[in-house]
Amino acid sequence: MALRLMQVVVPADEKDKLHSLIRGESRIESWDQTIDEKRYKLSILLAVDDSEHLITKLEHHFSNTGTFRIVLYPVEATIPRPDAPDLERERGTAKENAKKEGKGRISREELYHDLVDSTRLSWVFIILMLSSTIVAATGLLRNSEAIIIGSMVIAPLLGPNVALSLATTLADFHLAKNALKVTFAGIGISLLFAISLGILLEIDPSAPQIATRTEPNLGDIGLSLASGIAGALAFTTGVASALVGVMVAVALLPPLVVLGMLIGAGYWDAATGALFLLFINIICINLSGVLTFVVQGIKPASWDKEGQARNTSRAAISVWIFLLLILIFALYYSHLNFDFL
């Protein structure tokens, strides 16, 4: 059972209200401390999937107070171990617990802070994109799957794509703008560098690792949809994101590098297939990411933004599906290889 330590700071004269609000809420243990004459702190040890409901509740009541703050820490271990049966009985005492948001995942705030850093364009991001492009190009030219997989581990493509899905789900246009900026910057950096490699190096479009990225099929759609789901779940459930990042990179980085090298070498027909594959993967990853967040019940903290977030999510899902159908029909009628596998 994943645990969190939540520290809540409120005005000292609001401590009775704080204790009244958390009464009946699921928690393992709590400790209080008077910081000074103006501030009171309550530390709460609780299960990770109980944190979002409590954060939302406390923020609603105390957000306008000057000293209010919530700090959330991941807990590696606690001794003595929490008694799971007793905790489950305590959860059953609160009527709303069966309908709580956040069950089976981390809180919305924790998820947001995990992703916001990935939407900052930095020199580290640029170097990682260049490095992953070099490694991917080497693997493609040498027909080495092991080297290509290594490039996927390096590529920092997971965070910005998941952040875009989260921004869509929350109708957070500032986060969406930053996520799009970093995503397009990463694609542009890799594409331009791959084009330069295509100009300088001898490219064989019939090489197996290159040819497979120029012939999209329905299996690629399934792969990219699974990648988007895995990417979203990696952040919401604590799955090792480095491993899941490989799934997202396998859908984005190799076709992107193939596209650039083929353009640089002047193989325009083959490059068209790689471009279709790249578009399919981008659409499917974001479509499945938004769907995953919606199914998990991720929504804005304030009630007045929930309607806007629902409309934004529905519009985004409709647009992604429409674009995907257009690409599928375009592939079918362009006489490209569009078999199931």
Side-chain angles (χ1 to χ4, degrees), residues 63-86:
S63 59
N64 293 326
T65 61
T67 61
F68 171 71
R69 183 169 296 278
I70 295 178
V71 181
L72 201 62
Y73 299 96
V75 176
E76 296 293 335
T78 177
I79 301 173
R81 298 172 184 170
D83 190 340
D86 287 346

Side-chain angles (χ1 to χ4, degrees), residues 299-313:
K299 55 188 177 182
S302 57
W303 295 101
D304 58 330
K305 290 185 178 181
E306 284 191 23
Q308 183 184 20
R310 281 194 300 270
N311 293 334
T312 302
S313 298

Side-chain angles (χ1 to χ4, degrees), residues 140-141 202-215 258 261-263 265-271:
L140 291 165
L141 294 174
E202 183 177 348
I203 308 299
D204 179 10
S206 64
Q209 292 296 335
I210 294 178
T212 55
R213 271 87 186 186
T214 62
E215 300 173 348
V258 168
M261 292 195 300
L262 291 176
I263 291 175
Y267 295 106
W268 295 100
D269 289 342

Side-chain angles (χ1 to χ4, degrees), residues 39-326:
R39 294 177 297 169
Y40 173 81
K41 180 174 74 174
L42 182 65
S43 300
I44 306 169
L45 182 65
L46 72 170
V48 64
D49 53 2
D50 291 320
S51 60
E52 179 172 312
H53 170 75
L54 190 54
I55 290 172
T56 302
K57 186 176 183 179
L58 296 176
E59 188 177 12
H60 175 71
H61 286 86
F62 294 111
S63 59
N64 293 326
T65 61
T67 61
F68 171 71
R69 183 169 296 278
I70 295 178
V71 181
L72 201 62
Y73 299 96
V75 176
E76 296 293 335
T78 177
I79 301 173
R81 298 172 184 170
D83 190 340
D86 287 346
L87 181 59
E88 291 302 320
R89 283 197 296 271
E90 183 183 345
R91 286 180 174 178
T93 62
K95 293 181 180 179
E96 74 275 10
N97 274 325
K99 298 181 180 179
K100 274 184 189 176
E101 61 267 40
K103 289 298 182 184
R105 59 173 173 82
I106 63 176
S107 68
R108 172 185 51 250
E109 287 74 15
E110 193 173 349
L111 176 61
Y112 185 92
H113 284 285
D114 284 345
L115 287 169
V116 71
D117 286 340
S118 67
T119 63
R120 295 189 176 102
L121 185 61
S122 65
W123 63 270
V124 175
F125 177 86
I126 295 172
I127 290 176
L128 287 175
M129 283 305 306
L130 290 172
S131 301
S132 60
T133 302
I134 293 172
V135 176
T138 302
L140 291 165
L141 294 174
R142 292 186 180 182
N143 195 32
S144 172
E145 292 184 1
I147 296 177
I148 296 173
I149 292 173
S151 71
M152 299 170 194
V153 176
I154 302 171
L157 296 173
L158 174 62
N161 280 276
V162 178
L164 180 58
S165 297
L166 179 65
T168 302
T169 310
L170 297 178
D172 188 326
F173 301 109
H174 178 71
L175 179 62
K177 182 184 72 173
N178 291 338
L180 284 171
K181 178 182 69 176
V182 173
T183 299
F184 284 129
I187 290 174
I189 290 167
S190 182
L191 181 61
L192 290 175
F193 192 68
I195 291 174
S196 66
L197 292 176
I199 295 173
L200 297 173
L201 303 176
E202 183 177 348
I203 308 299
D204 179 10
S206 64
Q209 292 296 335
I210 294 178
T212 55
R213 271 87 186 186
T214 62
E215 300 173 348
N217 53 56
L218 291 181
D220 293 313
I221 294 177
L223 172 63
S224 52
L225 287 172
S227 298
I229 294 172
L233 291 176
F235 283 95
T236 60
T237 61
V239 177
S241 59
L243 297 178
V244 179
V246 174
M247 285 198 67
V248 174
V250 73
L252 293 179
L253 186 65
L256 176 60
V257 176
V258 168
L259 172 63
M261 292 195 300
L262 291 176
I263 291 175
Y267 295 106
W268 295 100
D269 289 342
T272 302
L275 179 63
F276 273 120
L277 178 58
L278 179 63
F279 281 159
I280 286 174
N281 291 342
I282 291 173
I283 291 169
C284 289
I285 286 173
N286 284 279
L287 170 61
S288 57
V290 173
L291 287 172
T292 301
F293 285 144
V294 170
V295 169
Q296 288 187 299
I298 295 176
K299 55 188 177 182
S302 57
W303 295 101
D304 58 330
K305 290 185 178 181
E306 284 191 23
Q308 183 184 20
R310 281 194 300 270
N311 293 334
T312 302
S313 298
R314 290 169 183 167
I317 291 170
S318 299
V319 169
W320 289 131
I321 292 175
F322 177 70
L323 292 176
L324 181 60
L325 290 174
I326 289 178

